[in-house]
Structures are given as C-alpha cells and as structure tokens.
Amino acid sequence: RIVLAAVKQSWQALQHAAEPMRADLEVTLEAVKQNLKALDFVSGAMWDNRQFVLTVVMQLGSKLQHAGSALRGDREVVLVALRQSWWSLQYASEDLRSDPSVVLEAVKQSWRALEFATQQCRADPKVLFTALDKDAAAWKYAAGTMWGNKQFALAMVKVQGCRLQHVAPALKSDREVVFAAVMQSWWALQYAADELRADCSIVYAAVKQNIAALQYALEADCRILLLAMNRDGQAWKHAAPTLWSDRRFVLAVVKHQGSLLGRAARELQADRVIVSAAVAQCGWALQHASNELRNDRHVARLAVRQSRRALQYVAPQLRAKWDCFEALDELDNEANRVEEGYLPTFAELESELELQLASELAACSASSPSFQDIGDLV
C-alpha cells in the first residue's frame, strides 16, 4: 500500500520499488497511466499479463513488440494495438498477419501496412483492393499470384499500362487486359502476347498515341502504316515483308519515296502504275523497274525528266534513240502524264480504323470496375 500511495503521487517512485512491486498489476498500471516512461521500470513478467498489455497498447500500439508471444497472437490484444497504430501489425504473430480481417484493420488506416502482411494475406482481393483504393502504389506489395487475377490486372494496367509486363502470361493474351493497357500507354504494346502485337485494332490504339509503337508491332496493318507515314515518312521501316507485295501499300510508299521501289515484290516492279509513280518521285528508281518497263518510253521519260542521271538505267535500245524521242515528247502532253492508281484518303483510312477500334473496345467491355467495387465483390 505504501508503494501504491507513492506511485499515485509520482510514477517515478516505481523505479525505487522492490521487484515484487514492479510486477504488481495495480501498482504498474497506476504508474503507466500517468506516464508511459514508467514502462522502463516494470518487471519483464508484466508483458505476459493480458490486462497490463491491453492497457499499454491502448495508449501506444507499437508497445505490442514487448508483449509475450502468446499475447502477440491474441486477436483482441492485437486489434486494440492496431486501432491505435497500424504500425504495430509487424509485431503480431504470423497467424494474425495472415488473417484478412486483422490486416484490414491496419490497411484501413494506411495501405503501407501491407508491407507487414504475409504473402497469403497479400493475395486476398479484399485486403489488396482496400489498400489500392487508398493509394495505387500499394500494387508493389501484391502477392505474385495476384498478377494472374484478371480483375486485379485490369485495375493495374488502367492506372499504368506498362504494368502489363508483370501480369501472368495468360493475361498478356487477354484482349480486354491488353486493350486497357495500350489505351493507357502505347509503351505497353511491347509486353502483349505475339498474337495481339499483330492485332490491327490493338496496334492502331498504340500507334494513335505514338508512331514509335510500330517498333513493338509484330505486323502492322497496311492502313495503319499509311496513316503513320503521313506523320512520319520513315514509318515504312516497320512494314512486315508481306506488305511489300501489297499493291496499295507499295503505291503509297513509292509516291512518298520512289527509291523504295527496290523493296517491292518483283511483280510490283513490273506494275506500270507503281513504277510510274516511283520514277516521277525519284528518277533513279528506274533501276529497280522490270526490264520491260525500263524499255517503256513513257516510264523512261518520267524518270529522266525527274533526274537526268536516270538515263543510265533506261534500256540500251531505247537510250540509243533518246534524243529523237525527247524532241517528239516536247510536242506530246501525254508524255508528261503520270498514271494514277486509286488510294483512299487519310481521312477515309482513319475513319475505317476508328470504327473498327470502337467496335473492338465495345466487345471487350470497355471499363474495369473501381478498386472499391472489386473489393466489395469478393
């Protein structure tokens, strides 16, 4: 009674008390209620006393670290500590750090509490989405298995498309997930499965944002490349080999850069319309034309008119009579006409691709649920 009376006057009296008094519940609680510094003087045995520990963690949750192992595994004690400080989760037993309802109590205060949850709990959708709803940065604590969860993957790539790199291989082949990623960032195209990197609508969604996305496309549709070339003349470099056999593509390309006739399929190098367009833009392109067209007076005339040096590529028998032909051509307006091949306008190409993209997005159910909606579902 003497010690208790002294402690009631000042908690510091506890440091002068005998060991049995430092292990007395009434005495120690009186001291601790006054000042938590009194914990420095209590007996170690008190950390196994449930009532004492409950009183302490109610004031300062982090003191759970000093509690005995049995009390760190006591659900009520831990919950009381967590309500005072989410930080105390790290001191709870592994069983409780694997308990979703316990971890949720901490996560509701701070998403950073996920750091102290076990992998098992980090794979719990409700826990994870509650944390994500507070801060998208919580994704870095997600268990590896969550990247195979489509709802989680959708939520992640809609915030930052390049997180597609982390999702399970099966979801990199999922059109909805990849569309969501690419619509958020063209850069995500590089992480999609091969079959989707060759998908017209997905590639277009990426290229619309940045032509540089073509470098990640396994195969770009002719229409996409033609639109890209309207913005960047070097976009042809991303053309798949098969496109050099596509008449519409090659015609558009050589009208912009005639020398590329050399990349065209052999049968297109014998196409009078394509070769005429190429040499009208670059006379030297005549060297890539078929022998028949190099001996064609009209084609040769277009080439030489564009560049006198193209004369060296004119067929020898035609070149021998060139001065005579040139004099006659001055009187013939038809000799200066470039044969035209039909090409759709860029506006027509863009409209066609936009309609296709809109249809694809609708089919993939455009938007994913919010973090909170998903958490409520699970």
Side-chain angles (χ1 to χ4, degrees), residues 30-218:
E30 180 61 39
V32 168
K33 285 176 182 177
Q34 292 179 42
N35 196 315
L36 286 176
K37 290 182 179 180
L39 291 173
D40 293 338
F41 308 119
V42 302
S43 169
M46 293 305 297
W47 291 107
D48 290 314
N49 184 295
R50 191 171 188 276
Q51 187 178 344
F52 174 80
V53 172
L54 270 171
T55 302
V56 171
V57 298
M58 197 177 294
Q59 296 180 67
L60 189 58
S62 61
K63 291 300 180 181
L64 182 65
Q65 63 183 298
H66 302 297
S69 58
L71 293 177
R72 283 189 278 117
D74 184 301
R75 186 183 182 84
E76 184 185 357
V77 171
V78 170
L79 286 174
V80 168
L82 290 176
R83 290 182 189 120
Q84 203 285 319
S85 170
W86 62 268
W87 189 260
S88 59
L89 180 63
Q90 63 185 302
Y91 306 120
S93 67
E94 185 172 348
D95 284 346
L96 291 181
R97 288 187 291 111
S98 300
D99 186 319
S101 61
V102 171
V103 175
L104 263 177
E105 192 66 41
V107 169
K108 285 176 182 176
Q109 295 179 52
S110 172
W111 61 271
R112 289 184 174 84
L114 270 182
E115 179 183 356
F116 307 122
T118 62
Q119 285 295 311
Q120 176 185 336
C121 212
R122 292 183 191 182
D124 184 280
K126 191 170 183 67
V127 170
L128 191 54
F129 283 108
T130 297
L132 288 169
D133 198 43
K134 287 187 168 294
D135 195 314
W139 71 270
K140 61 187 177 184
Y141 293 120
T145 54
M146 286 302 295
W147 292 103
N149 180 301
K150 183 174 178 177
Q151 291 178 321
F152 174 75
L154 270 172
M156 290 298 93
V157 300
K158 286 204 74 173
V159 173
Q160 189 174 339
C162 285
R163 287 178 187 157
L164 184 64
Q165 65 184 297
H166 300 296
V167 309
L171 292 180
K172 290 179 180 179
S173 297
D174 186 289
R175 292 181 67 78
E176 187 178 1
V177 172
V178 173
F179 255 126
V182 170
M183 291 296 285
Q184 199 284 323
S185 170
W186 62 270
W187 193 265
L189 182 62
Q190 65 184 302
Y191 304 118
D194 288 354
E195 65 269 21
L196 295 184
R197 287 168 59 206
D199 182 279
C200 174
S201 296
I202 289 176
V203 172
Y204 176 60
V207 173
K208 265 186 69 175
Q209 298 171 53
N210 195 314
I211 289 175
L214 282 171
Q215 66 187 296
Y216 302 123
L218 281 189

Side-chain angles (χ1 to χ4, degrees), residues 259-272:
S259 60
L260 292 176
L261 180 64
R263 291 179 174 267
R266 189 172 296 276
E267 63 270 19
L268 296 183
Q269 291 176 344
D271 185 302
R272 197 166 191 262

Side-chain angles (χ1 to χ4, degrees), residues 200-201 204 207 220-229 243 246 248-249 344 346 348-354 356:
C200 174
S201 296
Y204 176 60
V207 173
D221 184 277
C222 167
R223 296 166 297 174
I224 296 174
L225 276 167
L226 292 180
L227 279 175
M229 286 179 61
L243 279 181
D246 185 303
R248 181 171 63 168
F249 173 73
F346 291 118
E348 289 172 335
L349 288 173
E350 189 166 16
S351 177
E352 186 179 332
L353 286 167
E354 285 290 346
Q356 183 173 334

